[in-house]
């Protein structure tokens, strides 16, 4: 594992770096980078994987029929 940041997540609590790296490799994990303001997923999309925010934050928003956007949640690192 290149860095220990994911180990700070409760998801990896109690694992050694080697165990976590083995788990991530077994699950076919990958890293993705998104630019500020870029959409990660659209409502209704089929989700086939778990996401973990390693740095920065993600806004979960809803845009209604009239174009009004409501922030439903703010997800930070971990």
């Amino acid at each position: 594992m290149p860095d220990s940041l994911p180990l700070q997540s409760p998801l990896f609590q109690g694992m050694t770096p080697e165990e976590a790296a083995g788990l991530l490799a077994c699950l076919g994990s990958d890293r993705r980078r998104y630019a500020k303001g870029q959409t990660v997923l659209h409502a209704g999309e089929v989700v086939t994987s778990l996401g973990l925010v390693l740095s920065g934050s993600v806004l979960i928003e809803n845009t209604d029929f009239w174009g009004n956007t409501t922030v439903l949640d703010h997800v930070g690192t971990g």
Side-chain angles (χ1 to χ4, degrees):
M1 181 176 304
D3 57 45
S4 63
L5 186 57
L7 293 178
Q8 296 173 4
S9 168
L11 184 64
F12 299 101
Q13 186 174 359
M15 289 187 187
T16 66
E18 294 77 21
E19 290 170 333
L23 175 66
L24 291 170
C26 180
L27 295 174
S29 69
D30 66 340
R31 284 188 184 217
R32 298 180 186 176
R33 295 179 186 268
Y34 296 92
K36 183 175 182 174
Q38 185 176 357
T39 300
V40 177
L41 291 170
H42 292 280
E45 276 187 58
V46 175
V47 178
T48 60
S49 59
L50 171 78
L52 180 64
V53 179
L54 298 178
S55 66
S57 61
V58 177
L59 289 177
I60 299 173
E61 300 177 332
N62 179 58
T63 304
D64 66 21
F65 179 77
W66 298 276
N68 300 310
T69 301
T70 303
V71 175
L72 301 175
D73 202 356
H74 177 260
V75 180
T77 302

